[in-house]
Amino acid sequence: MMFKKLVLLTFVFFSLQSHAVQTLNVVLDWIINPSHGPIIVAKQKGYFHDEGLNVILHEPTDPAMPAKLVAAKKFDLAVTYQESFTYDLVHHLPLMKVSTLISSPLNCVMVLKKSGITSLSQLDGKKLGYSIPSEIMTLDVMLAYKQKKAPKVQKIQVGWNISQSLLSGQVDAVSGGFRTVEKNQMNLHGEEVTLFYPEDYGVPQYDELIIVAHQKTKNIAAIQSFNRALTRAVQYISNHPDQAWLSFVSYDKKKLENTLNKRSWNDSLIRYDHRPGAIHKSRYITYAKYLKKHHIIKSMPDFSHAFLQQ
Protein backbone atom coordinates (compact mmCIF):
# COMPACT_ATOMS: atom_id res chain seq x y z
CA MET A 1 0.00 0.00 0.00
CA MET A 2 2.79 2.42 0.93
CA PHE A 3 4.55 1.63 -2.34
CA LYS A 4 1.39 2.43 -4.36
CA LYS A 5 0.98 5.74 -2.51
CA LEU A 6 4.61 6.60 -3.22
CA VAL A 7 4.18 5.83 -6.91
CA LEU A 8 0.99 7.93 -7.01
CA LEU A 9 2.65 10.90 -5.28
CA THR A 10 5.63 10.65 -7.64
CA PHE A 11 3.30 10.65 -10.66
CA VAL A 12 1.40 13.69 -9.36
CA PHE A 13 4.68 15.54 -8.66
CA PHE A 14 6.06 15.00 -12.16
CA SER A 15 2.68 15.80 -13.73
CA LEU A 16 2.68 19.14 -11.92
CA GLN A 17 6.29 19.72 -12.97
CA SER A 18 5.47 19.05 -16.63
CA HIS A 19 2.64 21.58 -16.49
CA ALA A 20 4.58 24.20 -14.54
CA VAL A 21 4.25 27.67 -16.04
CA GLN A 22 7.36 29.83 -16.27
CA THR A 23 7.03 33.59 -16.11
CA LEU A 24 9.06 35.84 -18.39
CA ASN A 25 9.04 39.58 -17.72
CA VAL A 26 9.57 41.48 -20.96
CA VAL A 27 10.23 45.23 -21.05
CA LEU A 28 9.37 46.83 -24.39
CA ASP A 29 11.28 49.60 -26.14
CA TRP A 30 8.26 51.91 -26.34
CA ILE A 31 4.56 52.00 -25.61
CA ILE A 32 2.74 49.06 -27.20
CA ASN A 33 2.28 49.57 -30.94
CA PRO A 34 2.03 47.41 -34.09
CA SER A 35 5.81 46.93 -34.18
CA HIS A 36 5.23 44.56 -31.25
CA GLY A 37 2.52 42.71 -33.18
CA PRO A 38 3.95 39.16 -32.95
CA ILE A 39 4.44 39.42 -29.18
CA ILE A 40 0.92 40.70 -28.58
CA VAL A 41 -0.71 38.19 -30.93
CA ALA A 42 1.25 35.30 -29.38
CA LYS A 43 -0.01 36.39 -25.98
CA GLN A 44 -3.63 36.96 -27.00
CA LYS A 45 -3.89 33.77 -29.08
CA GLY A 46 -2.51 31.69 -26.21
CA TYR A 47 0.65 30.63 -28.02
CA PHE A 48 2.85 31.53 -25.05
CA HIS A 49 0.48 29.61 -22.78
CA ASP A 50 0.74 26.58 -25.07
CA GLU A 51 4.51 26.72 -24.55
CA GLY A 52 4.14 26.81 -20.78
CA LEU A 53 4.93 30.50 -20.51
CA ASN A 54 3.36 33.42 -18.69
CA VAL A 55 4.70 36.45 -20.55
CA ILE A 56 4.23 39.74 -18.71
CA LEU A 57 4.80 42.90 -20.75
CA HIS A 58 6.09 46.19 -19.34
CA GLU A 59 6.21 49.58 -21.05
CA PRO A 60 9.36 51.55 -20.17
CA THR A 61 9.33 54.87 -18.34
CA ASP A 62 12.53 55.75 -20.22
CA PRO A 63 12.97 54.33 -23.76
CA ALA A 64 16.76 54.35 -23.33
CA MET A 65 16.68 51.91 -20.40
CA PRO A 66 15.18 48.49 -21.39
CA ALA A 67 18.41 46.70 -22.39
CA LYS A 68 20.26 48.17 -19.41
CA LEU A 69 17.56 46.81 -17.11
CA VAL A 70 18.08 43.32 -18.55
CA ALA A 71 21.84 43.69 -18.14
CA ALA A 72 21.13 44.52 -14.49
CA LYS A 73 18.88 41.44 -14.23
CA LYS A 74 15.77 43.51 -13.49
CA PHE A 75 13.86 41.92 -16.38
CA ASP A 76 14.22 38.67 -18.31
CA LEU A 77 13.95 40.09 -21.83
CA ALA A 78 13.99 43.52 -23.47
CA VAL A 79 13.03 44.83 -26.89
CA THR A 80 15.83 46.99 -28.26
CA TYR A 81 17.59 47.97 -31.50
CA GLN A 82 20.54 46.46 -33.34
CA GLU A 83 22.37 49.81 -33.15
CA SER A 84 21.89 50.00 -29.38
CA PHE A 85 22.82 46.35 -28.95
CA THR A 86 26.10 46.87 -30.82
CA TYR A 87 26.91 49.96 -28.77
CA ASP A 88 26.03 48.17 -25.52
CA LEU A 89 28.31 45.24 -26.36
CA VAL A 90 31.19 47.63 -27.03
CA HIS A 91 30.59 48.98 -23.54
CA HIS A 92 30.64 45.43 -22.13
CA LEU A 93 26.99 45.06 -21.17
CA PRO A 94 26.37 41.29 -20.78
CA LEU A 95 23.62 41.09 -23.37
CA MET A 96 22.66 38.32 -25.78
CA LYS A 97 20.43 38.71 -28.83
CA VAL A 98 17.75 36.00 -28.71
CA SER A 99 15.03 37.04 -31.19
CA THR A 100 14.24 39.39 -34.05
CA LEU A 101 10.92 41.21 -34.33
CA ILE A 102 11.52 43.56 -37.27
CA SER A 103 14.34 42.52 -39.61
CA SER A 104 14.50 45.64 -41.78
CA PRO A 105 15.16 49.30 -40.94
CA LEU A 106 12.22 51.44 -39.81
CA ASN A 107 14.17 54.42 -38.55
CA CYS A 108 14.41 57.47 -40.78
CA VAL A 109 14.98 61.20 -40.76
CA MET A 110 11.67 62.99 -41.20
CA VAL A 111 10.82 66.58 -42.13
CA LEU A 112 7.57 68.34 -42.93
CA LYS A 113 7.04 68.53 -46.68
CA LYS A 114 5.99 72.17 -46.38
CA SER A 115 9.47 72.96 -45.01
CA GLY A 116 10.80 72.65 -48.55
CA ILE A 117 13.67 70.45 -47.36
CA THR A 118 14.39 67.89 -50.06
CA SER A 119 17.95 66.88 -49.17
CA LEU A 120 19.88 66.29 -45.96
CA SER A 121 22.33 69.02 -46.93
CA GLN A 122 19.53 71.51 -46.32
CA LEU A 123 19.56 70.63 -42.62
CA ASP A 124 22.66 72.75 -42.17
CA GLY A 125 22.05 75.00 -39.17
CA LYS A 126 18.74 73.29 -38.39
CA LYS A 127 17.50 71.58 -35.23
CA LEU A 128 16.95 67.82 -35.18
CA GLY A 129 15.04 65.98 -32.45
CA TYR A 130 15.67 62.43 -31.25
CA SER A 131 14.54 60.13 -28.43
CA ILE A 132 17.55 57.95 -27.60
CA PRO A 133 21.22 58.21 -28.64
CA SER A 134 21.19 55.11 -30.84
CA GLU A 135 18.72 56.83 -33.19
CA ILE A 136 21.40 59.31 -34.25
CA MET A 137 24.42 56.99 -34.23
CA THR A 138 24.58 56.99 -38.02
CA LEU A 139 23.16 60.46 -38.60
CA ASP A 140 26.53 62.18 -39.13
CA VAL A 141 27.49 59.51 -41.69
CA MET A 142 24.19 60.04 -43.50
CA LEU A 143 24.73 63.80 -43.49
CA ALA A 144 28.23 63.42 -44.94
CA TYR A 145 27.23 60.85 -47.58
CA LYS A 146 28.50 62.05 -50.99
CA GLN A 147 28.92 65.59 -49.61
CA LYS A 148 32.08 67.69 -49.80
CA LYS A 149 31.11 69.33 -46.54
CA ALA A 150 28.68 67.77 -44.09
CA PRO A 151 25.91 70.06 -42.82
CA LYS A 152 26.02 70.93 -39.13
CA VAL A 153 22.87 70.00 -37.22
CA GLN A 154 21.88 70.92 -33.67
CA LYS A 155 20.69 67.71 -31.97
CA ILE A 156 18.02 67.98 -29.30
CA GLN A 157 16.74 65.07 -27.19
CA VAL A 158 12.93 65.23 -27.18
CA GLY A 159 12.08 61.97 -25.37
CA TRP A 160 8.74 60.48 -26.32
CA ASN A 161 7.65 63.58 -28.25
CA ILE A 162 9.08 62.88 -31.70
CA SER A 163 6.04 63.86 -33.78
CA GLN A 164 4.90 66.62 -31.44
CA SER A 165 8.31 68.30 -31.49
CA LEU A 166 8.18 68.45 -35.30
CA LEU A 167 4.56 69.57 -35.46
CA SER A 168 5.12 72.33 -32.91
CA GLY A 169 8.17 73.69 -34.68
CA GLN A 170 10.47 72.91 -31.75
CA VAL A 171 12.73 71.14 -34.26
CA ASP A 172 13.07 71.18 -38.04
CA ALA A 173 13.59 67.44 -38.42
CA VAL A 174 13.46 64.28 -36.34
CA SER A 175 15.44 61.06 -36.32
CA GLY A 176 14.04 57.90 -34.81
CA GLY A 177 10.55 58.21 -36.21
CA PHE A 178 9.37 54.90 -37.65
CA ARG A 179 8.21 54.95 -41.24
CA THR A 180 5.37 52.67 -40.13
CA VAL A 181 4.25 54.84 -37.19
CA GLU A 182 5.27 58.51 -37.09
CA LYS A 183 4.73 58.96 -40.84
CA ASN A 184 1.11 57.88 -40.40
CA GLN A 185 0.78 59.98 -37.27
CA MET A 186 1.87 63.09 -39.16
CA ASN A 187 -0.50 62.29 -42.04
CA LEU A 188 -3.40 62.04 -39.59
CA HIS A 189 -2.49 65.53 -38.38
CA GLY A 190 -2.90 66.72 -41.98
CA GLU A 191 0.84 67.00 -42.63
CA GLU A 192 2.72 65.41 -45.52
CA VAL A 193 6.30 64.44 -44.73
CA THR A 194 9.54 63.75 -46.55
CA LEU A 195 11.54 60.74 -45.34
CA PHE A 196 15.26 60.09 -45.66
CA TYR A 197 16.15 56.40 -45.27
CA PRO A 198 19.49 55.28 -43.75
CA GLU A 199 19.85 52.49 -46.31
CA ASP A 200 19.83 55.14 -49.09
CA TYR A 201 22.83 56.83 -47.47
CA GLY A 202 25.33 53.99 -47.27
CA VAL A 203 24.08 52.36 -44.06
CA PRO A 204 24.08 48.52 -44.25
CA GLN A 205 20.84 46.64 -43.73
CA TYR A 206 20.13 45.98 -40.06
CA ASP A 207 17.45 44.62 -37.76
CA GLU A 208 15.27 47.39 -36.39
CA LEU A 209 13.79 45.60 -33.39
CA ILE A 210 15.38 42.70 -31.56
CA ILE A 211 14.96 41.01 -28.19
CA VAL A 212 17.85 40.58 -25.78
CA ALA A 213 18.50 38.60 -22.61
CA HIS A 214 21.34 38.53 -20.09
CA GLN A 215 24.26 36.44 -21.34
CA LYS A 216 24.08 34.34 -18.18
CA THR A 217 20.32 33.87 -18.24
CA LYS A 218 18.99 30.61 -16.84
CA ASN A 219 15.92 30.85 -19.08
CA ILE A 220 17.37 29.33 -22.26
CA ALA A 221 14.65 26.69 -22.62
CA ALA A 222 11.94 29.25 -21.88
CA ILE A 223 13.39 31.66 -24.46
CA GLN A 224 13.41 28.92 -27.08
CA SER A 225 9.75 28.29 -26.25
CA PHE A 226 9.16 32.05 -26.51
CA ASN A 227 10.63 32.01 -30.02
CA ARG A 228 8.44 29.09 -31.08
CA ALA A 229 5.39 31.06 -30.00
CA LEU A 230 6.63 34.15 -31.88
CA THR A 231 7.14 32.09 -35.05
CA ARG A 232 3.64 30.73 -34.75
CA ALA A 233 2.26 34.25 -34.25
CA VAL A 234 4.01 35.62 -37.35
CA GLN A 235 2.62 32.74 -39.41
CA TYR A 236 -0.87 33.50 -38.12
CA ILE A 237 -0.49 37.21 -38.86
CA SER A 238 0.66 36.44 -42.42
CA ASN A 239 -2.22 34.07 -43.07
CA HIS A 240 -4.94 35.99 -41.23
CA PRO A 241 -3.97 39.69 -41.03
CA ASP A 242 -7.50 40.94 -40.29
CA GLN A 243 -8.18 38.39 -37.54
CA ALA A 244 -4.69 39.02 -36.16
CA TRP A 245 -5.47 42.73 -35.97
CA LEU A 246 -8.48 41.92 -33.81
CA SER A 247 -6.25 39.80 -31.56
CA PHE A 248 -3.74 42.65 -31.33
CA VAL A 249 -6.27 45.29 -30.27
CA SER A 250 -7.95 42.90 -27.83
CA TYR A 251 -4.93 43.36 -25.55
CA ASP A 252 -6.22 46.87 -24.74
CA LYS A 253 -9.00 48.01 -27.08
CA LYS A 254 -9.27 51.45 -25.50
CA LYS A 255 -5.62 52.26 -26.25
CA LEU A 256 -4.90 50.20 -29.35
CA GLU A 257 -8.03 50.30 -31.52
CA ASN A 258 -7.54 53.50 -33.47
CA THR A 259 -6.82 54.72 -36.99
CA LEU A 260 -3.12 55.32 -36.39
CA ASN A 261 -2.51 51.79 -35.16
CA LYS A 262 -4.57 50.31 -37.98
CA ARG A 263 -2.49 52.14 -40.59
CA SER A 264 0.72 51.20 -38.80
CA TRP A 265 -0.43 47.59 -38.57
CA ASN A 266 -0.96 47.40 -42.33
CA ASP A 267 2.49 48.89 -42.97
CA SER A 268 4.14 46.49 -40.50
CA LEU A 269 2.77 43.21 -41.88
CA ILE A 270 5.56 42.66 -44.40
CA ARG A 271 8.28 43.56 -41.89
CA TYR A 272 7.81 40.94 -39.16
CA ASP A 273 10.64 38.42 -39.13
CA HIS A 274 9.39 34.93 -40.04
CA ARG A 275 12.37 33.30 -38.32
CA PRO A 276 12.65 35.25 -35.08
CA GLY A 277 15.12 32.81 -33.56
CA ALA A 278 17.61 32.91 -36.46
CA ILE A 279 21.07 34.22 -35.56
CA HIS A 280 22.49 36.06 -38.65
CA LYS A 281 25.82 36.68 -36.89
CA SER A 282 27.59 37.75 -40.09
CA ARG A 283 25.06 40.54 -40.58
CA TYR A 284 25.84 41.88 -37.11
CA ILE A 285 29.58 41.74 -37.74
CA THR A 286 29.16 43.61 -41.03
CA TYR A 287 27.12 46.32 -39.34
CA ALA A 288 29.61 46.65 -36.47
CA LYS A 289 32.48 46.99 -38.96
CA TYR A 290 30.56 49.79 -40.64
CA LEU A 291 30.10 51.59 -37.31
CA LYS A 292 33.78 51.22 -36.48
CA LYS A 293 34.91 52.36 -39.93
CA HIS A 294 32.99 55.58 -39.44
CA HIS A 295 34.21 56.03 -35.86
CA ILE A 296 30.73 55.63 -34.39
CA ILE A 297 32.14 52.93 -32.12
CA LYS A 298 35.78 52.84 -31.03
CA SER A 299 36.26 49.09 -31.13
CA MET A 300 34.58 45.95 -32.40
CA PRO A 301 32.20 44.33 -29.91
CA ASP A 302 32.81 40.86 -28.55
CA PHE A 303 30.25 38.66 -30.27
CA SER A 304 31.48 35.38 -28.75
CA HIS A 305 28.56 35.14 -26.31
CA ALA A 306 26.21 37.62 -27.96
CA PHE A 307 23.76 35.22 -29.62
CA LEU A 308 21.41 32.53 -28.35
CA GLN A 309 22.73 29.18 -29.52
CA GLN A 310 20.14 26.91 -31.09
Side-chain angles (χ1 to χ4, degrees):
M1 180 64 73
M2 285 295 294
F3 177 75
K4 288 184 177 180
K5 286 184 178 180
L6 182 60
V7 171
L8 179 60
L9 287 172
T10 302
F11 174 77
V12 171
F13 173 77
F14 282 106
S15 294
L16 289 172
Q17 287 287 93
S18 65
H19 290 89
V21 174
Q22 181 166 349
T23 296
L24 288 177
N25 282 284
V26 182
V27 58
L28 304 174
D29 61 305
W30 204 258
I31 59 174
I32 292 174
N33 65 77
S35 296
H36 308 126
I39 298 177
I40 305 301
V41 170
K43 186 172 178 65
Q44 296 305 100
K45 292 293 292 181
Y47 299 157
F48 288 136
H49 181 269
D50 292 347
E51 292 287 345
L53 300 176
N54 175 33
V55 174
I56 301 175
L57 304 180
H58 306 265
E59 295 178 340
T61 54
D62 179 350
M65 288 302 294
K68 295 179 177 63
L69 293 171
V70 165
K73 297 184 177 181
K74 302 294 184 182
F75 291 90
D76 301 305
L77 299 172
V79 177
T80 187
Y81 314 90
Q82 183 175 338
E83 307 103 305
S84 296
F85 175 61
T86 306
Y87 185 82
D88 288 341
L89 288 179
V90 170
H91 288 81
H92 308 295
L93 267 65
L95 296 172
M96 172 174 62
K97 183 248 180 179
V98 299
S99 316
T100 305
L101 277 180
I102 304 287
S103 56
S104 60
L106 295 182
N107 186 18
C108 61
V109 174
M110 182 168 64
V111 300
L112 295 178
K113 195 167 186 178
K114 67 184 181 184
S115 70
I117 296 173
T118 57
S119 70
L120 291 181
S121 62
Q122 292 175 274
L123 292 179
D124 189 49
K126 304 291 187 182
K127 297 177 181 178
L128 180 138
Y130 68 94
S131 289
I132 59 177
S134 68
E135 293 168 354
I136 56 169
M137 283 175 64
T138 60
L139 177 65
D140 290 339
V141 180
M142 289 176 63
L143 292 171
Y145 186 68
K146 294 185 178 179
Q147 298 291 326
K148 291 182 178 180
K149 183 179 179 181
K152 294 183 178 180
V153 176
Q154 181 183 351
K155 301 162 189 172
I156 302 172
Q157 192 161 14
V158 297
W160 297 99
N161 302 314
I162 292 179
S163 295
Q164 292 86 341
S165 65
L166 187 58
L167 284 168
S168 66
Q170 178 186 353
V171 296
D172 304 292
V174 291
S175 180
F178 279 4
R179 58 195 79 171
T180 54
V181 180
E182 277 75 15
K183 172 183 176 290
N184 287 305
Q185 191 173 37
M186 300 300 286
N187 292 162
L188 289 172
H189 278 89
E191 293 288 356
E192 293 296 319
V193 292
T194 300
L195 306 181
F196 302 97
Y197 305 118
E199 57 269 37
D200 290 342
Y201 291 83
V203 181
Q205 286 286 321
Y206 58 88
D207 295 337
E208 188 64 57
L209 285 182
I210 64 174
I211 299 173
V212 296
H214 195 285
Q215 287 183 0
K216 293 185 178 180
T217 180
K218 296 180 180 179
N219 297 321
I220 298 299
I223 292 170
Q224 291 170 337
S225 296
F226 180 91
N227 283 342
R228 285 195 295 270
L230 277 190
T231 302
R232 190 176 171 192
V234 175
Q235 290 172 343
Y236 180 79
I237 291 169
S238 297
N239 292 333
H240 310 285
D242 294 333
Q243 295 94 318
W245 160 252
L246 296 178
S247 293
F248 171 76
V249 298
S250 70
Y251 182 82
D252 189 338
K253 292 194 71 170
K254 186 176 181 180
K255 290 184 179 180
L256 299 179
E257 192 172 32
N258 55 58
T259 303
L260 173 60
N261 277 338
K262 180 58 174 174
R263 289 189 180 188
S264 298
W265 174 266
N266 290 336
D267 287 348
S268 300
L269 293 175
I270 62 171
R271 299 182 181 274
Y272 299 133
D273 196 306
H274 285 254
R275 298 177 61 222
I279 295 177
H280 304 308
K281 184 175 180 178
S282 61
R283 188 179 194 184
Y284 280 67
I285 293 173
T286 298
Y287 185 72
K289 286 181 177 178
Y290 159 82
L291 295 180
K292 186 174 183 296
K293 176 183 177 182
H294 292 283
H295 310 291
I296 298 169
I297 57 177
K298 294 181 179 180
S299 60
M300 284 291 289
D302 180 4
F303 285 118
S304 58
H305 302 289
F307 298 94
L308 176 68
Q309 298 303 311
Q310 301 301 307

